Amino acid sequence: MSRPVQNLIYDLEQLGAKGTSDLQPEDRVLFAEFREFINLGLIRCAERDAKGQWRVNEWFKRSILAGFRLGQLMETEGYAGTNFFDKHTLPTRRALHLTNKVRLVPGGSAIRDGAFVDEGVIVMPPSYINLGAYVGKGTLVDSHVLVGSCAQVGERVHLSAGVQVGGVLEPIGSLPVIIEDDVMVGGNCGVYEGVIVRERAVLGTGVLLNGSTKVYDVVNERVLAGTSEVPLEIPPCAVVVPGSRPVKQPFGEANGLQIATPLIVKYRDNKTDASTALEEALR
Ligand SMILES: CC(C)(COP(=O)(O)OP(=O)(O)OC[C@H]1O[C@@H](n2cnc3c(N)ncnc32)[C@H](O)[C@@H]1OP(=O)(O)O)[C@@H](O)C(=O)NCCC(=O)NCCS
């Protein structure tokens, strides 16, 4: 890269602090440089420290919002005679080459420019990897998956068919959704609102997690929940499946109502490893 990361971050901090009327055409050059640094994996939205704590880079999110404000609608060519319209500052990533060692299977998937996709990632169609997202080495992004803006997905993660990983751009200081290394996310799961799924955890088919979800850990007899300051965290190796609990309020009780609540039924063992093993030949 032509200049040190710290130097770029300094300029991005200035960019993010600008009001819309202060934005200049030359800021688009800086925004393009921002996207290129993300493409190369040199900067990212959130980082994990040695103690395992995740910290959000607010300048990163502010830069993305500035990019939206800088953009005007532009027409781009689609497949055989179709066309698309989007902000000209937010193009689809073209700088993906054989040397990136990513398999992007044809058929309606897109990676927005300014998303990092590491070697060995497989993207099955149709899937979408949005601006600011990070997808680590060897991760499988199966069909109908959304990796939302700024979402941080680790290495060797399995995002099964239909998984939705929410994007979190605002509020600016909030952590994006974080899925750590070697997590298995079963089909049709949804992870939203800055939830952290720690390494090697397993989300069984159809588990939904957001900032308000309470997760009942039946192994350790505790209830896990986020607060306005601290996000919900799924512990390492937890095996989470969809569950329900009775509604205690009188009307609920009278009608036998239940409310959805994910349960940690066990922590990963050999059987879980066998149920979630990835087929090497497909890589
Ligand atoms: C979670 C999962 C990996 C199973 O893990 P496992 O360690 O083999 O789990 P076990 O079979 O030991 O089950 C432990 C307990 O949880 C229950 N359980 C397991 N998975 C469950 C699920 N998805 N929903 C409800 N209950 C579940 C089992 O019935 C068992 O209950 P019991 O102790 O009362 O008998 C599997 O259920 C799953 O969801 N896999 C994802 C499949 C998928 O979506 N693939 C996508 C392909 S595109």
Coordinates of all heavy atoms in Angstrom, one line a residue, residues 225-260:
A225 N -27.8 -13.0 28.6 CA -28.5 -11.9 28.0 C -27.5 -10.7 27.8 O -26.6 -10.6 28.6 CB -29.7 -11.5 28.8
G226 N -27.8 -9.9 26.8 CA -27.0 -8.7 26.6 C -27.6 -7.5 27.4 O -28.7 -7.6 28.0
T227 N -26.9 -6.4 27.5 CA -27.4 -5.2 28.1 C -27.2 -4.1 27.1 O -26.7 -4.3 26.0 CB -26.7 -4.8 29.4 OG1 -25.3 -4.5 29.1 CG2 -26.6 -6.0 30.4
S228 N -27.6 -2.9 27.5 CA -27.4 -1.8 26.5 C -25.9 -1.5 26.3 O -25.4 -1.0 25.3 CB -28.1 -0.5 27.0 OG -27.8 -0.3 28.3
E229 N -25.0 -1.9 27.3 CA -23.6 -1.7 27.2 C -22.8 -3.0 26.6 O -21.9 -2.8 25.9 CB -22.9 -1.4 28.5 CG -23.1 0.1 28.9 CD -24.4 0.3 29.6 OE1 -24.8 -0.5 30.5 OE2 -25.0 1.3 29.3
V230 N -23.3 -4.1 27.0 CA -22.6 -5.4 26.7 C -23.4 -6.3 25.8 O -24.6 -6.5 26.2 CB -22.2 -6.1 28.0 CG1 -21.3 -7.3 27.7 CG2 -21.5 -5.2 29.0
P231 N -22.9 -6.7 24.7 CA -23.8 -7.5 23.8 C -24.0 -8.9 24.4 O -23.2 -9.4 25.2 CB -22.9 -7.6 22.5 CG -21.5 -7.3 22.9 CD -21.6 -6.5 24.1
L232 N -25.0 -9.6 23.9 CA -25.2 -11.0 24.2 C -24.0 -11.8 23.6 O -23.6 -11.6 22.5 CB -26.5 -11.5 23.5 CG -26.7 -13.0 23.5 CD1 -26.9 -13.5 24.9 CD2 -27.9 -13.4 22.6
E233 N -23.5 -12.7 24.4 CA -22.4 -13.5 23.9 C -22.7 -15.0 24.1 O -23.2 -15.4 25.1 CB -21.1 -13.3 24.8 CG -20.2 -12.2 24.3 CD -18.9 -12.3 25.0 OE1 -18.3 -13.4 25.2 OE2 -18.5 -11.2 25.4
I234 N -22.6 -15.7 23.0 CA -22.7 -17.2 23.1 C -21.3 -17.7 23.4 O -20.4 -17.5 22.7 CB -23.2 -17.7 21.7 CG1 -24.5 -17.1 21.3 CG2 -23.3 -19.3 21.7 CD1 -25.7 -17.3 22.3
P235 N -21.2 -18.5 24.5 CA -19.9 -18.9 24.9 C -19.2 -19.9 23.9 O -19.9 -20.5 23.1 CB -20.1 -19.7 26.2 CG -21.6 -19.4 26.6 CD -22.3 -19.0 25.3
P236 N -17.9 -20.0 24.0 CA -17.2 -20.9 23.1 C -17.8 -22.4 23.3 O -18.1 -22.8 24.4 CB -15.7 -20.9 23.6 CG -15.6 -19.7 24.5 CD -17.0 -19.4 25.0
C237 N -17.9 -23.0 22.2 CA -18.3 -24.5 22.1 C -19.7 -24.7 22.5 O -20.1 -25.9 22.6 CB -17.4 -25.3 23.0 SG -15.7 -25.3 22.4
A238 N -20.5 -23.7 22.8 CA -21.9 -23.9 23.2 C -22.7 -24.5 22.0 O -22.4 -24.1 20.9 CB -22.5 -22.6 23.6
V239 N -23.6 -25.4 22.3 CA -24.5 -25.9 21.2 C -25.9 -25.4 21.5 O -26.5 -25.7 22.5 CB -24.5 -27.5 21.2 CG1 -25.4 -28.0 20.1 CG2 -23.1 -28.0 20.9
V240 N -26.3 -24.5 20.6 CA -27.6 -23.8 20.9 C -28.6 -24.3 19.9 O -28.4 -24.5 18.7 CB -27.4 -22.3 20.6 CG1 -28.6 -21.5 21.0 CG2 -26.1 -21.7 21.3
V241 N -29.8 -24.6 20.5 CA -30.9 -25.0 19.6 C -32.2 -24.2 19.9 O -32.2 -23.6 21.0 CB -31.2 -26.5 19.7 CG1 -30.0 -27.4 19.5 CG2 -31.8 -26.8 21.1
P242 N -33.1 -24.1 19.0 CA -34.3 -23.3 19.3 C -35.1 -23.9 20.4 O -35.2 -25.2 20.5 CB -35.1 -23.3 17.9 CG -34.2 -23.9 16.9 CD -33.2 -24.7 17.6
G243 N -35.7 -23.1 21.2 CA -36.5 -23.6 22.3 C -37.6 -22.7 22.6 O -37.8 -21.7 21.9
S244 N -38.4 -23.0 23.7 CA -39.4 -22.1 24.1 C -39.6 -22.1 25.6 O -39.2 -23.1 26.3 CB -40.7 -22.4 23.4 OG -41.2 -23.7 23.8
R245 N -40.2 -21.1 26.2 CA -40.5 -21.1 27.6 C -41.9 -20.5 27.8 O -42.4 -19.7 26.9 CB -39.5 -20.3 28.4 CG -39.4 -18.8 28.0 CD -38.2 -18.2 28.7 NE -37.7 -17.0 27.9 CZ -38.1 -15.8 28.1 NH1 -39.0 -15.5 29.1 NH2 -37.7 -14.8 27.4
P246 N -42.6 -20.9 28.9 CA -44.0 -20.4 29.1 C -44.0 -18.9 29.3 O -43.1 -18.4 30.0 CB -44.4 -21.2 30.3 CG -43.4 -22.1 30.7 CD -42.1 -21.7 30.0
V247 N -45.1 -18.3 28.8 CA -45.3 -16.9 29.1 C -46.0 -16.8 30.5 O -47.0 -17.4 30.7 CB -46.2 -16.2 28.1 CG1 -46.6 -14.8 28.5 CG2 -45.6 -16.3 26.7
K248 N -45.3 -16.1 31.5 CA -45.8 -16.2 32.9 C -47.0 -15.2 33.1 O -47.8 -15.5 34.0 CB -44.7 -15.8 33.8 CG -43.5 -16.8 33.7 CD -43.0 -17.1 35.1 CE -41.8 -18.1 35.1 NZ -40.6 -17.5 34.6
Q249 N -47.1 -14.2 32.3 CA -48.2 -13.2 32.5 C -49.6 -13.9 32.4 O -49.7 -14.9 31.7 CB -48.0 -12.1 31.4 CG -49.0 -11.1 31.3 CD -49.9 -11.4 30.2 OE1 -49.9 -12.5 29.5 NE2 -50.9 -10.5 30.0
P250 N -50.6 -13.5 33.2 CA -51.8 -14.3 33.4 C -52.5 -14.7 32.0 O -52.9 -15.9 31.9 CB -52.8 -13.4 34.2 CG -51.8 -12.4 34.9 CD -50.6 -12.3 34.1
F251 N -52.6 -13.8 31.1 CA -53.3 -14.1 29.8 C -52.5 -15.2 29.1 O -53.0 -16.1 28.5 CB -53.3 -12.8 29.0 CG -54.0 -13.1 27.6 CD1 -55.4 -13.1 27.5 CD2 -53.3 -13.2 26.5 CE1 -56.0 -13.3 26.3 CE2 -53.9 -13.5 25.2 CZ -55.2 -13.5 25.2
G252 N -51.1 -15.0 29.2 CA -50.3 -16.1 28.5 C -50.5 -17.4 29.2 O -50.6 -18.4 28.5
E253 N -50.5 -17.4 30.5 CA -50.7 -18.7 31.3 C -52.0 -19.3 30.9 O -52.1 -20.5 30.7 CB -50.6 -18.4 32.8 CG -49.2 -18.8 33.3 CD -49.1 -18.5 34.8 OE1 -49.5 -17.4 35.2 OE2 -48.5 -19.3 35.5
A254 N -53.1 -18.4 30.9 CA -54.4 -18.9 30.7 C -54.5 -19.6 29.3 O -55.3 -20.5 29.1 CB -55.4 -17.8 30.8
N255 N -53.8 -19.1 28.4 CA -53.8 -19.6 27.0 C -52.7 -20.6 26.7 O -52.5 -21.0 25.5 CB -53.9 -18.4 26.0 CG -55.2 -17.7 26.1 OD1 -56.2 -18.2 25.5 ND2 -55.2 -16.6 26.8
G256 N -51.9 -20.9 27.6 CA -50.8 -21.8 27.4 C -49.8 -21.3 26.4 O -49.2 -22.1 25.6
L257 N -49.5 -20.0 26.4 CA -48.6 -19.4 25.4 C -47.1 -19.7 25.8 O -46.8 -19.8 26.9 CB -48.8 -17.9 25.3 CG -50.2 -17.5 24.9 CD1 -50.3 -16.0 24.7 CD2 -50.6 -18.2 23.6
Q258 N -46.3 -19.8 24.7 CA -44.9 -20.0 24.9 C -44.2 -18.8 24.1 O -44.7 -18.3 23.2 CB -44.5 -21.3 24.2 CG -45.1 -22.5 24.8 CD -44.4 -23.1 26.0 OE1 -43.2 -23.2 25.9 NE2 -45.1 -23.5 27.0
I259 N -43.0 -18.5 24.6 CA -42.2 -17.5 23.8 C -40.9 -18.2 23.4 O -40.4 -19.1 24.1 CB -41.9 -16.3 24.7 CG1 -41.5 -15.1 23.9 CG2 -41.0 -16.6 25.9 CD1 -41.6 -13.8 24.6
A260 N -40.4 -17.9 22.2 CA -39.2 -18.5 21.7 C -38.0 -18.2 22.5 O -37.8 -17.0 22.8 CB -39.0 -18.1 20.2

